[in-house]
């Protein structure tokens, strides 16, 4: 009989598997699971997978060491009939060589090191701990490790260590796509010089090809952040106004990708005689055509895009000295401070400068609807819908303490950005009381965290709208 030590990595796997089995119960098929148990099983399986990634990465690291080229014919991979440890892991796991290589990279960064006969801590201890406990998975760990290795050539050791702890904390509960946005901003903070070189590369790579084929005109374009920001903002504003016009009576659904959400839910029945609505790509194509027609006939100025603004965020010190990096609303890739300053000098661009004087943002009970200045401040603080992360262009300012029922003031502290769907959820699910909202560590008010898993030791679920806090300095609030 085999026994596992209490601190064995397999103990965590057994605990996660036991949680999944307990939630599954006596059912024979997943179709029999009620919704609460379905969520519990899914959470337990997710934890099991993340902890399995940690164990597999540790095993992969030892396979790599036992397969060193210095061992020659005695290398483990060669003795098993494989040319490399990557090939061995890929073949035995049934995965791609890319997945196997990722496990090896993670294992190399998170396994203890042997230096001159002594055992040293892992190169990325915070990532190793989060991976072991199942807070993050293999892909998130690999993305964080890759960034830290990249900026480690220029950033200080203390800055990289602090960044590792912050990124690991931010990564828990986020999808890989959400984490990548955070990593881009982390790179800009840790390696501002790299932002300038990367920005030049992206600017040189911009292009737009126009050609005709099969009776259709094709536009194939790629744009850098500065060039794309007015295009994205204008199209998003037009499409958002198009959806708000309500040409489809069915409930809205959230878009998997694209500029805006609000796609009609195809699972809902369409009224008899109703024609199929335009899809999101079709609406975006119509918006681009509308912009072109508007440019060719400038006398027609009243378009729904009015009021759409490109917002560039930067600190006052960085704006004056042209050091550091800035972010553009709706664009993931940061830009240099000099680019932000140049954009702010043009039309239709507002520079959200921290620590600068601004308009009065609190109006008490004198005004019911948020002012333009308040909305700009909310966009800066919340970054979009505070519950689901939808773009700012499709959100509205919601009173945390309701205007009518609670006599809530139209003050910045009592306002939060919500999309239409989340706004309805607040009212339908009774989340209107101020005690159901809490302040988080980024810039403002977000919904109180929901449990990621059931049980007395449940940890909080992060919202998708989390931004990266400053890694090397305290960001102005």
């Amino acid at each position: 009989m085999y026994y596992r030590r209490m601190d064995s990595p397999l103990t965590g796997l057994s605990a996660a598997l036991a949680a999944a089995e307990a939630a599954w119960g006596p059912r024979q098929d997943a179709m029999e699971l009620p919704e609460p148990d379905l969520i519990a099983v899914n959470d337990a399986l997710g934890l099991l997978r993340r902890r399995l990634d940690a164990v597999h990465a540790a095993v992969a690291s030892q396979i790599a060491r036992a397969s060193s080229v210095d061992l020659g014919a005695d290398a483990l991979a060669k003795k098993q009939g494989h040319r490399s440890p990557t090939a061995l892991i890929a073949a035995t796991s049934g995965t791609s060589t890319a997945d196997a290589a990722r496990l090896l990279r993670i294992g190399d960064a998170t396994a203890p090191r042997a230096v001159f006969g002594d055992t040293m801590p892992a190169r990325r201890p915070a990532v190793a701990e989060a991976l072991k406990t199942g807070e993050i998975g293999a892909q998130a760990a690999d993305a964080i490790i890759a960034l830290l290795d990249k900026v480690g050539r220029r950033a200080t050791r203390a800055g990289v260590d602090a960044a590792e702890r912050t990124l690991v904390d931010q990564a828990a509960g986020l999808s890989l796509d959400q984490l990548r946005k955070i990593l881009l901003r982390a790179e800009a903070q840790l390696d501002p010089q790299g932002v300038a070189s990367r920005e030049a590369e992206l600017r040189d790579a911009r292009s737009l090809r126009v050609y005709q084929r099969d009776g259709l005109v094709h536009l194939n374009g790629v744009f850098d952040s500065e060039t794309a920001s007015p295009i994205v903002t204008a199209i998003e504003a037009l499409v958002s106004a198009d959806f708000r016009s309500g040409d489809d009576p069915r409930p809205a659904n959230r878009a998997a990708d694209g500029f805006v959400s609000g796609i009609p839910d195809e699972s809902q029945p369409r009224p008899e005689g109703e024609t199929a609505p335009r899809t999101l790509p079709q609406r975006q194509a119509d918006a681009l055509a509308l912009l072109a027609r508007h440019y060719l006939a400038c006398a027609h100025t009243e378009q729904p895009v009015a009021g759409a603004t490109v917002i560039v965020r930067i600190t006052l010190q960085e704006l004056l000295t042209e050091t550091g990096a800035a972010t553009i609303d709706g664009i993931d890739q940061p830009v240099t401070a000099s680019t932000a300053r140049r954009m702010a000098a043009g039309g239709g661009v507002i520079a959200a400068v921290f620590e600068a004087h601004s308009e009065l943002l609190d109006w008490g009970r004198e005004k019911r609807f948020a002012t333009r200045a308040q909305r700009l401040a909310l966009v800066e603080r919340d970054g979009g819908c505070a519950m689901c992360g939808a773009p700012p262009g499709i959100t509205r300012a919601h009173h945390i303490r309701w205007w009518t029922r609670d006599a809530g003031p139209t003050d910045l502290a009592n306002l939060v950005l919500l999309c239409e769907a989340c706004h309805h959820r607040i009212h339908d699910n009774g989340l209107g009381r101020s005690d159901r909202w809490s302040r988080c560590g980024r810039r403002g008010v977000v919904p109180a965290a929901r449990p990621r898993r059931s049980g007395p030791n449940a940890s909080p679920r992060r919202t998708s709208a989390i931004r990266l806090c400053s890694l090397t300095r305290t960001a102005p609030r």
Side-chain angles (χ1 to χ4, degrees), residues 439-456:
R439 291 188 178 275
C440 69
R442 51 187 198 97
R443 291 182 185 158
V445 180
V446 296
R450 297 169 291 163
R452 182 185 298 124
R453 334 175 182 48
S454 58

Side-chain angles (χ1 to χ4, degrees), residues 166-393:
T166 301
L167 289 171
V168 165
D169 180 66
Q170 292 284 331
L174 295 183
S175 69
L176 190 61
D177 290 336
Q178 293 163 348
L179 177 60
R180 282 171 178 157
K181 296 178 181 180
I182 291 178
L183 295 178
L184 284 174
R185 297 179 183 179
E187 182 179 359
Q189 291 187 21
L190 292 167
D191 185 15
Q193 295 181 357
V195 175
S197 59
R198 176 64 173 162
E199 184 179 85
E201 294 176 3
L202 295 177
R203 186 183 301 114
D204 291 341
R206 74 188 188 281
S207 67
L208 177 64
R209 296 178 59 230
V210 182
Y211 60 95
Q212 299 184 42
R213 181 178 298 166
D214 300 328
L216 294 173
V217 177
H218 296 252
L219 304 180
N220 186 357
V222 291
F223 307 95
D224 60 286
S225 298
E226 182 179 2
T227 306
S229 57
I231 301 173
V232 171
T233 301
I235 292 179
E236 179 181 313
L238 285 168
V239 176
S240 298
D242 197 12
F243 275 119
R244 285 195 297 268
S245 66
D247 65 348
D248 192 289
R250 292 171 298 164
N253 196 3
R254 183 147 320 276
D257 50 20
F259 299 145
V260 300
S261 54
I263 299 177
D265 189 350
E266 295 296 339
S267 66
Q268 299 295 324
R270 186 179 292 109
E272 185 177 355
E274 185 76 24
T275 58
R278 290 173 298 154
T279 64
L280 176 60
Q282 287 173 336
R283 292 175 191 256
Q284 291 178 167
D286 293 344
L288 181 60
L290 179 59
L291 289 172
R293 287 196 298 269
H294 175 63
Y295 177 79
L296 296 175
C298 290
H300 305 287
T301 57
E302 293 187 4
Q303 301 293 344
V305 75
T309 306
V310 177
I311 301 178
V312 181
R313 302 184 208 87
I314 192 170
T315 66
L316 179 61
Q317 180 181 2
E318 290 170 336
L319 183 64
L320 295 176
T321 61
E322 293 194 0
T323 59
T327 58
I328 304 173
D329 204 29
I331 304 295
D332 295 337
Q333 178 65 41
V335 298
T336 59
S338 58
T339 297
R341 190 168 190 168
R342 181 174 64 251
M343 292 179 66
V349 177
I350 288 182
V353 182
F354 298 112
E355 298 180 341
H357 297 291
S358 61
E359 299 178 45
L360 179 66
L361 298 178
D362 294 336
W363 293 91
R365 294 284 296 176
E366 295 183 11
K367 295 177 182 291
R368 176 169 183 173
F369 300 105
T371 65
R372 175 176 170 79
Q374 284 178 312
R375 178 166 176 80
L376 291 175
L378 288 170
V379 169
E380 167 52 38
R381 190 192 69 187
D382 298 341
C385 178
M387 290 189 70
C388 69

Side-chain angles (χ1 to χ4, degrees), residues 9-10 13 49-63 88-90 92-95 99-100 103-104 106-107 131 138:
L10 298 182
L13 293 179
R49 181 172 184 172
R50 293 191 297 272
R51 288 181 175 174
L52 181 61
D53 287 341
V55 176
H56 205 172
V59 172
S61 174
Q62 295 306 313
I63 290 177
L88 168 62
I89 295 171
T92 55
S93 302
T95 60
D99 290 335
L103 283 175
L104 290 171
I106 296 172
L131 194 64

